[in-house]
């Protein structure tokens, strides 16, 4: 089997996995799968040196990515007027499977997701960003909320964990409503470690995902119950040496911690 056919097979398996989660009511898992696949398709669309797909095929892949994101948005906002139904999404399965030979009109009137500039972690911090545009974009374009646990040398102790986009916006609050489990026993984290949270959002005009602000918990703050921690200006300072509050307004990250004991 050729590499391109293996890639298509992998996309199809991911698509089926997402729609299965969706039909079973496992919405968080479905959203994750849809967004991962959408990013994979977008990356292929962006590839300038890939001879595997024609421009027309790439356009179709981009439209599939749009539909995946539309379905994700529908699952996150049940009140949405522009709901994209699961049965509609399932119509795209045959197109993914036969993308190399598909020559019919796309079943939905959508446009490919704007090409996103894919950046390495931290790279976006070197770009010039308009703060006014950031404020205007608001939390509605929040894309991810990764978590890291570096020590004072800025070394990652755990892999970054990306969560789905926010579930809703209410007054001055952005609700994520997601559980994140630290992939290491708290007792085994070295002295000086901290758990970092980065608040990211997608900027349509610049076509890339930017870090808006960050927060962190020190080791002595890791205890059961609710906690409120301050938000700091980017770029994320994993060494915690030059910290500046994001705003004078009382804006914080609200968390609820649960500690588990080994049985």
């Amino acid at each position: 089997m050729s590499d391109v056919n293996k890639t298509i097979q992998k996309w199809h398996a991911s698509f089926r996995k997402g729609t299965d989660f969706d039909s079973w009511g496992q919405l968080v898992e479905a959203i994750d799968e849809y967004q991962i696949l959408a990013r994979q398709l977008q990356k292929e669309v962006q590839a300038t040196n890939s001879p595997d797909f024609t421009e027309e095929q790439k356009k179709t892949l981009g439209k599939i990515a749009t539909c995946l994101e539309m379905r994700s948005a529908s699952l996150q906002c049940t009140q949405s007027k522009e709901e994209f139904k699961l049965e509609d999404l399932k119509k795209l399965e045959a197109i993914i499977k036969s993308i190399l030979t598909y020559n019919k009109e796309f079943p939905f009137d959508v446009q490919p997701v704007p090409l996103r500039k894919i950046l390495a972690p931290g790279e976006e911090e070197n770009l010039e960003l308009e703060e006014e545009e950031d404020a205007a974009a608001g939390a509605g374009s929040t894309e991810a909320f990764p978590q890291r646990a570096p020590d004072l040398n800025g070394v990652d102790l755990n892999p970054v964990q990306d969560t789905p986009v926010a579930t809703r916006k209410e007054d001055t609050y952005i609700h994520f409503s997601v559980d994140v489990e630290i992939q290491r026993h708290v007792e085994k984290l070295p002295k000086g470690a901290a758990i970092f949270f980065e608040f990211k959002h997608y900027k349509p005009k610049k076509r890339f995902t930017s870090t808006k602000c960050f927060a962190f918990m020190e080791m002595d703050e890791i205890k059961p119950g609710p906690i409120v921690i301050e938000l700091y200006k980017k770029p994320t300072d994993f060494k915690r040496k030059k910290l500046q509050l994001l705003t004078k307004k009382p804006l914080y990250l609200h968390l609820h911690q649960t500690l588990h004991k080994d049985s």
Side-chain angles (χ1 to χ4, degrees), residues 149-157 190-194 196 238-240:
D151 63 19
L152 289 174
N153 294 320
V155 178
D156 277 349
L157 301 174
K191 184 178 180 180
F196 275 75
F238 294 118
K239 295 184 179 181
R240 290 161 271 163

Side-chain angles (χ1 to χ4, degrees), residues 136-241:
S141 55
T142 299
E143 187 151 293
F145 210 42
Q147 184 161 321
R148 299 187 183 197
D151 63 19
L152 289 174
N153 294 320
V155 178
D156 277 349
L157 301 174
N158 281 343
V160 175
Q161 297 185 57
D162 292 327
T163 71
V165 297
T167 55
R168 72 182 191 279
K169 182 180 178 184
E170 183 179 39
D171 297 326
T172 58
Y173 292 91
I174 302 167
H175 296 264
F176 287 86
S177 305
V178 66
D179 293 331
V180 179
E181 186 171 333
I182 304 303
Q183 302 297 307
R184 189 166 178 173
H185 289 292
V186 174
E187 296 81 6
K188 294 183 179 179
L189 292 174
K191 184 178 180 180
I195 299 173
F196 275 75
F197 302 85
E198 289 177 311
F199 179 23
K200 298 190 175 185
H201 64 164
Y202 175 62
K203 304 183 73 174
K205 288 185 179 179
K206 292 191 177 242
R207 297 181 178 178
F208 69 89
T209 300
S210 169
T211 298
K212 174 66 178 174
C213 57
F214 72 98
F216 62 88
M217 287 194 309
E218 303 278 9
M219 293 298 292
D220 61 358
E221 295 176 303
I222 302 177
K223 50 194 172 186
I227 183 174
V228 176
I229 55 180
E230 294 175 317
L231 297 172
Y232 296 99
K233 288 183 179 179
K234 63 187 178 187
T236 307
D237 181 10
F238 294 118
K239 295 184 179 181
R240 290 161 271 163
K241 291 184 176 179

Side-chain angles (χ1 to χ4, degrees), residues 1-16 37 53 96-99:
M1 183 183 295
S2 68
D3 288 343
V4 65
N5 283 321
K6 286 180 182 177
T7 298
I8 293 170
Q9 193 176 65
K10 184 179 177 182
W11 289 342
H12 178 230
S14 180
F15 184 90
R16 283 295 301 271
L37 179 55
F53 300 97
I96 285 187
K97 285 176 66 176
S98 62
I99 186 66

Side-chain angles (χ1 to χ4, degrees), residues 17-244:
K17 191 175 178 182
T19 54
D20 283 347
F21 279 137
D22 201 341
S23 61
W24 297 335
Q26 295 178 242
L27 305 189
V28 173
E29 291 84 354
I31 291 168
D32 277 351
E33 204 64 42
Y34 290 153
Q35 291 183 341
I36 289 170
L37 179 55
R39 283 196 292 269
Q40 290 174 347
L41 297 181
Q42 288 164 19
K43 193 170 182 179
E44 185 61 49
V45 172
Q46 281 183 257
T48 55
N49 58 348
S50 172
D52 295 332
F53 300 97
T54 66
E55 288 306 309
E56 196 61 34
Q57 289 165 351
K58 285 184 178 183
K59 189 180 294 185
T60 300
L61 291 174
K63 289 182 178 182
I64 293 173
T66 297
C67 293
L68 289 165
E69 296 207 353
M70 288 171 66
R71 179 58 186 163
S72 294
S74 295
L75 292 177
Q76 293 169 65
C77 183
T78 54
Q79 307 300 321
S80 173
K81 295 179 181 178
E82 300 179 5
E83 182 183 3
F84 194 82
K85 295 180 170 55
L86 174 58
E87 52 263 37
D88 290 333
L89 188 67
K90 285 184 174 181
K91 294 175 184 177
L92 305 181
E93 181 177 352
I95 300 178
I96 285 187
K97 285 176 66 176
S98 62
I99 186 66
L100 293 178
T101 56
Y102 184 78
N103 57 6
K104 298 177 183 177
E105 188 174 346
F106 199 77
F108 305 107
D109 184 17
V110 297
Q111 294 301 314
V113 172
L115 295 184
R116 301 187 178 188
K117 186 169 184 179
I118 300 173
L119 302 173
E123 186 180 346
E124 77 279 351
E125 295 163 356
N126 298 322
L127 300 177
E128 292 183 8
L129 307 174
E130 292 101 346
E131 291 301 326
E132 292 299 322
E133 184 183 318
D134 279 0
S141 55
T142 299
E143 187 151 293
F145 210 42
Q147 184 161 321
R148 299 187 183 197
D151 63 19
L152 289 174
N153 294 320
V155 178
D156 277 349
L157 301 174
N158 281 343
V160 175
Q161 297 185 57
D162 292 327
T163 71
V165 297
T167 55
R168 72 182 191 279
K169 182 180 178 184
E170 183 179 39
D171 297 326
T172 58
Y173 292 91
I174 302 167
H175 296 264
F176 287 86
S177 305
V178 66
D179 293 331
V180 179
E181 186 171 333
I182 304 303
Q183 302 297 307
R184 189 166 178 173
H185 289 292
V186 174
E187 296 81 6
K188 294 183 179 179
L189 292 174
K191 184 178 180 180
I195 299 173
F196 275 75
F197 302 85
E198 289 177 311
F199 179 23
K200 298 190 175 185
H201 64 164
Y202 175 62
K203 304 183 73 174
K205 288 185 179 179
K206 292 191 177 242
R207 297 181 178 178
F208 69 89
T209 300
S210 169
T211 298
K212 174 66 178 174
C213 57
F214 72 98
F216 62 88
M217 287 194 309
E218 303 278 9
M219 293 298 292
D220 61 358
E221 295 176 303
I222 302 177
K223 50 194 172 186
I227 183 174
V228 176
I229 55 180
E230 294 175 317
L231 297 172
Y232 296 99
K233 288 183 179 179
K234 63 187 178 187
T236 307
D237 181 10
F238 294 118
K239 295 184 179 181
R240 290 161 271 163
K241 291 184 176 179
K242 296 179 180 179
L243 299 172
Q244 282 187 293

